[in-house]
Amino acid sequence: MSSLQNKIADRTATVGVIGLGYVGLPLSQHFTDAGFDVVGFDVDEERVSRLRVGDSYVDDVDDDTLTETVARGFRPTADPAKLAGCDAFVLAVPTGVESGTPDMGAVRQATRTVAEYAPDRDVLFVCSSTVYPGAADEVIRPALENSGRIPGDDILVSVVPERLNPGGEYDFEEIPLVVGADSVRERETAQALFDSVVAETVPVGETITAESAKMIENTYRMVNIAFANQFAEFAENAGVDAWEAIDAAGTKPFGFQKFTPGPGVGGHCIPVDPQYLTWRAKQTGTGLSLVDNAIEVNEAVPSRVFGQIKTALSAHGTDLDDASVVVLGMSYKPNVGDIRNSPALDICELLINAGASIHPVDPHVDEAVIVDERYEPASAIDRGTLRSADIALFLVNHDKFDTDKIAEDSNLIFDAQNAVPEYNDTPVVRLGDGNSEVSSSSLKSPVSRR
């Protein structure tokens, strides 16, 4: 066992987490819980100031947990020089897509920062940011070499893709993590670090394999969500209740995993990662038409939902340019406050451009993360506003939403989540309900829900 592995084993190693967002902050908390000294670096000084006083902006780390984590020695900083004493560095900076091309700017800059400030001894560098297959070879190792480090020698390189599930049913430590590295020494060192915080690590032979595994995971989800969304459109035209059919298919105990339709796909991973894969595929001369088509299907859903909302309002005697609309849910998934790539934002933009007056509500979204004040959500539903609105859009099924009261107070509901209960006096139009022709007569009673 190397000296670095010994330091990890006896918890005398200091871990530097680069990027303190939705991935980096939970990682910092779990490494601190495991007994490591943790330095958390972020270029956003306002974020760092909030963290120091126990003010969390991440759903999975509440204020009390953050306060305890800081008290146990977690040190948030915007000063890269504070990284000089670290033995292991975990990269958790954001990545994205610009005009169909992966944006690795933050990864490249963060790697240079580590290379500049890492101590002159053996250290571990782990990329947990989501990157395209081959990024470790084409971005990370060259950036380290250009800064005078020797990947695989004095700086051990590994890729351990994040598998956080905000608002999901699995705890962080229950989710196995894939560990990819190009040498046994690098792989075992990275495994030793992550074995301290999760129940299982899954070693693979190269960094590109770990990068590819992340692409497979999220592209699989995106393609199957696209099928569910496209099936919902088919169901509306064929007179099929998509939700009942999908539930019935889900009773099969093998060979099937249930995915459901919705107003679109959002978050950092699902809309972005498949584009890394298709971009790389084009470079290698490989066609991934299935993935390309699935991306197109999902990107079109917000516009289709907008059209259905317009039709429902018209059938109810209201023009969209004169409509008051309560939007229930602005984040990309239930019970989280993350608005990145949320389809709710796209739908709101379409509504505003059409002249509608929107009233967003989301109990999880911090209004500070909303760049455009037109989308700033109230934290709770105002019953007076709901009662006077022409339509309520149920876009995100947060547990904090009381669907009984929503149905009781609404004049008309568009339900994109199959969440609203049946009410005799509340017209409800569901996405994928088998009723593509929304008429005034069909809105006199709610759509049948079984």
Side-chain angles (χ1 to χ4, degrees), residues 42-258:
D42 200 289
V43 295
D44 189 329
E45 294 184 2
E46 181 181 352
R47 267 188 175 182
V48 170
S49 297
R50 289 181 63 178
L51 294 175
R52 285 173 175 165
V53 297
D55 181 13
S56 178
Y57 43 80
V58 173
D59 293 291
D60 285 353
V61 182
D62 61 32
D63 289 352
D64 290 341
T65 300
L66 174 59
T67 299
E68 293 171 5
T69 302
V70 171
R72 287 198 302 271
F74 169 51
R75 291 168 283 162
T77 182
D79 180 3
K82 301 294 184 183
L83 298 170
C86 294
D87 302 284
F89 299 86
V90 181
L91 211 65
V93 296
T95 54
V97 173
E98 290 291 337
S99 302
T101 300
D103 180 3
M104 296 289 113
V107 170
R108 187 175 286 105
Q109 183 55 51
T111 302
R112 291 170 179 161
T113 298
V114 169
E116 179 179 356
Y117 290 98
D120 187 17
R121 60 173 184 266
D122 286 353
V123 295
L124 173 67
F125 180 98
V126 177
C127 179
S128 285
S129 296
T130 300
V131 294
Y132 66 86
D137 294 331
E138 298 174 3
V139 177
I140 292 171
R141 289 187 178 94
L144 293 171
E145 290 170 351
N146 291 339
S147 300
R149 304 302 297 235
I150 306 174
D153 186 358
D154 68 340
I155 187 162
L156 310 181
V157 177
S158 179
V159 172
V160 183
E162 59 88 7
R163 278 181 168 172
L164 292 170
N165 186 26
E169 58 184 290
Y170 294 100
D171 292 332
F172 173 86
E173 61 272 11
E174 297 176 319
I175 304 173
L177 291 178
V178 174
V179 177
D182 291 359
S183 72
V184 173
R185 179 181 172 217
E186 290 169 300
R187 191 178 311 112
E188 289 182 346
T189 305
Q191 275 192 270
L193 179 64
F194 282 89
D195 279 338
S196 69
V197 291
V198 296
E200 180 184 2
T201 54
V202 181
V204 295
E206 295 178 288
T207 53
I208 195 170
T209 306
E211 293 162 343
S212 298
K214 179 68 172 178
M215 296 298 100
I216 292 170
E217 294 169 18
N218 287 333
T219 302
Y220 168 84
R221 291 172 62 196
M222 189 276 298
V223 168
N224 281 281
I225 291 170
F227 172 62
N229 284 329
Q230 199 164 54
F231 180 80
E233 184 176 10
F234 156 79
E236 289 161 359
N237 292 317
V240 177
D241 186 322
W243 301 93
E244 188 170 16
I246 290 171
D247 283 346
T251 62
K252 185 179 180 180
F254 60 92
F256 182 83
Q257 182 179 0
K258 188 172 86 169

Side-chain angles (χ1 to χ4, degrees), residues 92-433:
V93 296
T95 54
V97 173
E98 290 291 337
S99 302
T101 300
D103 180 3
M104 296 289 113
V107 170
R108 187 175 286 105
Q109 183 55 51
T111 302
R112 291 170 179 161
T113 298
V114 169
E116 179 179 356
Y117 290 98
D120 187 17
R121 60 173 184 266
D122 286 353
V123 295
L124 173 67
F125 180 98
V126 177
C127 179
S128 285
S129 296
T130 300
V131 294
Y132 66 86
D137 294 331
E138 298 174 3
V139 177
I140 292 171
R141 289 187 178 94
L144 293 171
E145 290 170 351
N146 291 339
S147 300
R149 304 302 297 235
I150 306 174
D153 186 358
D154 68 340
I155 187 162
L156 310 181
V157 177
S158 179
V159 172
V160 183
E162 59 88 7
R163 278 181 168 172
L164 292 170
N165 186 26
E169 58 184 290
Y170 294 100
D171 292 332
F172 173 86
E173 61 272 11
E174 297 176 319
I175 304 173
L177 291 178
V178 174
V179 177
D182 291 359
S183 72
V184 173
R185 179 181 172 217
E186 290 169 300
R187 191 178 311 112
E188 289 182 346
T189 305
Q191 275 192 270
L193 179 64
F194 282 89
D195 279 338
S196 69
V197 291
V198 296
E200 180 184 2
T201 54
V202 181
V204 295
E206 295 178 288
T207 53
I208 195 170
T209 306
E211 293 162 343
S212 298
K214 179 68 172 178
M215 296 298 100
I216 292 170
E217 294 169 18
N218 287 333
T219 302
Y220 168 84
R221 291 172 62 196
M222 189 276 298
V223 168
N224 281 281
I225 291 170
F227 172 62
N229 284 329
Q230 199 164 54
F231 180 80
E233 184 176 10
F234 156 79
E236 289 161 359
N237 292 317
V240 177
D241 186 322
W243 301 93
E244 188 170 16
I246 290 171
D247 283 346
T251 62
K252 185 179 180 180
F254 60 92
F256 182 83
Q257 182 179 0
K258 188 172 86 169
F259 290 83
T260 56
V265 295
H268 172 63
C269 295
I270 303 303
V272 175
D273 296 359
Q275 296 184 64
Y276 292 170
L277 194 57
T278 56
W279 172 81
R280 176 53 97 195
K282 288 181 176 69
Q283 289 191 325
T284 63
T286 308
L288 287 175
S289 58
L290 174 66
V291 180
D292 286 326
N293 290 339
I295 292 171
E296 291 179 7
V297 167
N298 285 328
E299 288 180 344
V301 174
S303 293
R304 184 164 68 85
V305 167
F306 168 75
Q308 291 177 308
I309 294 166
K310 183 178 180 179
T311 300
L313 280 166
S314 179
H316 210 241
T318 304
D319 293 330
L320 187 57
D321 61 4
D322 192 40
S324 174
V325 182
V326 171
V327 181
L328 301 170
M330 295 294 287
S331 63
Y332 82 93
K333 66 180 289 190
N335 306 320
V336 303
D338 192 348
I339 63 167
R340 289 177 295 177
N341 299 308
S342 172
L345 297 176
D346 294 330
I347 293 168
C348 285
E349 183 71 21
L350 291 167
L351 290 168
I352 291 171
N353 289 342
S357 174
I358 68 167
H359 307 277
V361 181
D362 198 302
H364 293 277
V365 174
D366 184 342
E367 66 179 28
V369 305
I370 301 288
V371 176
D372 191 327
E373 64 180 11
R374 298 177 301 167
Y375 305 144
E376 287 184 5
S379 60
I381 297 171
D382 181 276
R383 297 188 72 180
T385 301
L386 186 58
R387 286 171 175 168
S388 64
D390 296 293
I391 191 169
L393 311 183
F394 207 108
L395 300 184
V396 187
N397 191 14
H398 291 312
D399 289 345
K400 290 183 179 180
F401 285 147
D402 187 330
T403 52
D404 288 331
K405 288 184 178 179
I406 290 169
E408 179 183 339
D409 290 338
S410 298
N411 294 302
L412 171 64
I413 296 174
F414 181 85
D415 183 4
Q417 297 288 345
N418 192 34
V420 179
E422 186 173 339
Y423 269 73
N424 292 329
D425 56 353
T426 305
V428 179
V429 178
R430 284 187 305 145
L431 181 70
D433 65 5

